Amino acid sequence: MTIKTTHVGSLPRTKALLEANTQHANGQISTEELNSVLESEVAGVVKRQKDIGIDVVNEGEYGHIMQESVDYGAWWFYSFTRLGGIEFEEVSTLDGGGQRLSTPGNIVLTSFEDRRDRKVFAGAYADPESGIYTGGEMTEAPVFTGDITYIGEQATRTDVDLLKKNMDAYGIEDGFMPAISPGSAARIQNRRYDSEKELLDAVADALHEEYKIITDAGLTVQIDAPDLAESWDQINPEPTIADYQDWLQLRIDAINRALQGINPELVRLHICWGSWHGPHSTDIPFDAIVDQCLEVNAKEFSFEAASGRHAHEWKIWQDGKLPAGNVIVPGLVSHSTNIIEHPELVAERLIRFAEIVGPENVIASTDCGLGGRVHEEIAWAKLETLVEGTKIANKHFGL
């Protein structure tokens, strides 16, 4: 047995796919024509992962639509078309610009533009030459106005079928597919439900259908849950850790509600602090939330471990925190820098984790999705160095 390699999901979209997504959105091509392009491009991205040496592959999140090569939000935006009960309204008419969820007690999740990190470094965020990508402006925003249902069955089945077809074609045994967490999907305005718990429960029940489609196919469902860590920076004023943990528990419970009846062996939880390329000076420490994250009924736990703000947090695993039978999936290359990590650095990081929890309990990965965050040439080079570093680590352990 060797230490396997994987990644967090999003891979660079091809020019053909970006163009097809735009043409479909503009009514220039049919859904059937879009799916034909999707089928071809998924085949290519699965083969490229195989050729590089990635062991646990996905379809690049190609079914999560992007129209631009730089797009930090496709992991979230896709849910707007897979959940019923959503309508779009002019941002100018919505409190907080359409991206705000008021919560009980001392916690208020404000708009993305009102992050505390942005206040500390207001000049840098305002300077277009600083290199901090803050995303485009929204003219319309989603709002929960009716009962939340799941309407994405066909789209998810298409994603699953294309991945499985190409895994079979290239002799790949292990695959995964990302899907949004209930707490992240609920981060839009709500006019339908009277309480936050009621809202989270409704979203969880709907997303259960997506998780089940993925796992029924024998694939691992990766729950993309940046809401667990990233939201801390989005709360003004800064709460106490205890208040945040209470707020967090609602989201942990919602994930487990959505996973009812699903085999934990086919579940990976992804935790991150947001993929935008900012200072991240106000990130919550991992050790403040890790115990609650480990309550999720998942076998695998994916987290940032290569970024300048979180690479030091490998130490939290030294006290035997990882439950028996679970696996950590640390990021060993970062999505937030153009620097290509050296294979020896990747190996050093991986060996450190493996010596703490055992080589059999580690899968080498990326901090977050690379597609839409770094240039495609850099993204693929990072995956290549991830594989090379893992080979060094495997040799170190005689695997």
Side-chain angles (χ1 to χ4, degrees):
M1 187 200 101
T2 59
I3 299 174
K4 293 182 177 181
T5 56
T6 189
H7 55 91
V8 171
S10 182
L11 294 174
R13 277 36 166 204
T14 64
K15 182 178 179 181
L17 183 58
L18 293 172
E19 289 178 350
N21 285 334
T22 298
Q23 291 171 341
H24 184 258
N26 293 335
Q28 296 171 302
I29 62 173
S30 66
T31 300
E32 290 73 20
E33 290 172 306
L34 172 63
N35 285 341
S36 177
V37 174
L38 182 62
E39 182 171 3
S40 173
E41 301 311 300
V42 166
V45 79
V46 173
K47 183 178 186 300
R48 190 160 187 178
Q49 291 171 79
K50 168 74 172 181
D51 291 345
I52 287 175
I54 298 297
D55 299 302
V56 188
V57 307
N58 81 329
E59 80 323 345
E61 288 189 48
Y62 278 16
H64 296 181
I65 295 172
M66 283 173 48
Q67 296 184 42
E68 303 289 341
S69 59
V70 177
D71 185 339
Y72 285 55
W75 69 274
W76 183 49
F77 298 150
Y78 93 97
S79 66
F80 304 160
T81 62
R82 300 199 185 183
L83 294 176
I86 291 177
E87 294 182 3
F88 282 80
E89 300 183 13
E90 292 292 328
V91 168
S92 60
T93 68
L94 299 174
D95 181 25
Q99 299 175 344
R100 182 177 182 274
L101 179 65
S102 295
T103 64
N106 299 322
I107 301 293
V108 176
L109 189 63
T110 57
S111 68
F112 293 151
E113 290 73 23
D114 200 31
R115 293 185 183 280
R116 284 183 277 113
D117 194 57
R118 293 194 182 198
K119 294 183 181 299
V120 175
F121 295 95
Y125 275 98
D127 185 351
E129 296 183 1
S130 69
I132 301 177
Y133 178 78
T134 56
E137 294 185 1
M138 297 174 63
T139 57
E140 291 187 326
V143 180
F144 289 122
T145 59
D147 291 349
I148 298 172
T149 58
Y150 190 67
I151 59 172
E153 179 179 354
Q154 187 54 56
T156 300
R157 290 195 184 280
T158 296
D159 294 342
V160 166
D161 291 346
L162 288 178
L163 176 56
K164 291 286 291 183
K165 174 182 177 181
N166 286 285
M167 287 173 59
D168 291 343
Y170 299 118
I172 300 171
E173 294 183 2
D174 299 320
F176 76 100
M177 187 163 290
I180 195 169
S181 68
S184 292
R187 291 198 301 185
I188 65 176
Q189 299 245 338
N190 162 41
R191 293 213 184 102
R192 166 61 184 83
Y193 296 93
D194 295 332
S195 72
E196 186 177 12
K197 183 180 186 306
E198 190 180 356
L199 170 63
L200 287 167
D201 285 350
V203 177
D205 291 345
L207 287 175
H208 170 81
E209 300 305 315
E210 181 160 293
Y211 303 169
K212 192 171 187 301
I213 292 169
I214 294 168
T215 55
D216 280 353
L219 299 169
T220 291
V221 60
Q222 175 183 286
I223 311 297
D224 283 342
D227 56 300
L228 303 182
E230 178 193 6
S231 299
W232 167 263
D233 174 59
Q234 218 177 313
I235 295 168
N236 285 296
E238 180 179 318
T240 66
I241 293 292
D243 281 345
Y244 186 76
Q245 289 171 336
D246 289 343
W247 181 89
L248 185 67
Q249 194 62 45
L250 288 174
R251 283 142 185 83
I252 298 294
D253 293 344
I255 295 173
N256 282 335
R257 180 185 179 104
L259 289 171
Q260 287 181 359
I262 291 175
N263 185 357
E265 294 287 316
L266 293 175
V267 180
R268 176 196 295 177
L269 178 69
H270 173 60
I271 308 146
C272 79
W273 284 258
S275 58
W276 82 96
H277 295 187
H280 285 266
S281 64
T282 53
D283 284 2
I284 192 169
F286 194 17
D287 63 3
I289 63 171
V290 65
D291 288 338
Q292 287 175 283
C293 292
L294 289 171
E295 293 177 15
V296 170
N297 294 324
K299 177 179 180 177
E300 300 176 4
F301 293 88
S302 160
F303 52 88
E304 289 188 45
S307 77
R309 293 300 297 187
H310 298 285
H312 67 288
E313 293 179 316
W314 60 268
K315 300 172 186 176
I316 69 174
W317 303 102
Q318 288 180 309
D319 62 357
K321 189 179 296 291
L322 185 68
N326 287 126
V327 171
I328 58 172
V329 190
L332 307 174
V333 299
S334 178
H335 62 291
S336 60
T337 175
N338 288 331
I339 294 174
I340 308 298
E341 293 82 354
H342 196 283
E344 291 286 353
L345 176 60
V346 171
E348 180 181 292
R349 289 170 169 169
L350 181 53
I351 290 168
R352 181 185 294 145
F353 281 111
E355 286 179 340
I356 294 172
V357 302
E360 70 279 8
N361 296 320
V362 182
I363 299 174
S365 188
T366 61
D367 268 355
C368 197
L370 299 173
R373 281 86 183 231
V374 293
H375 189 274
E376 62 177 317
E377 292 179 351
I378 296 172
W380 288 109
K382 282 177 176 282
L383 291 181
E384 290 170 356
T385 202
L386 176 69
V387 171
E388 290 304 309
T390 303
K391 289 178 180 177
I392 296 171
N394 278 319
K395 184 177 180 179
H396 170 84
F397 289 109
L399 301 174

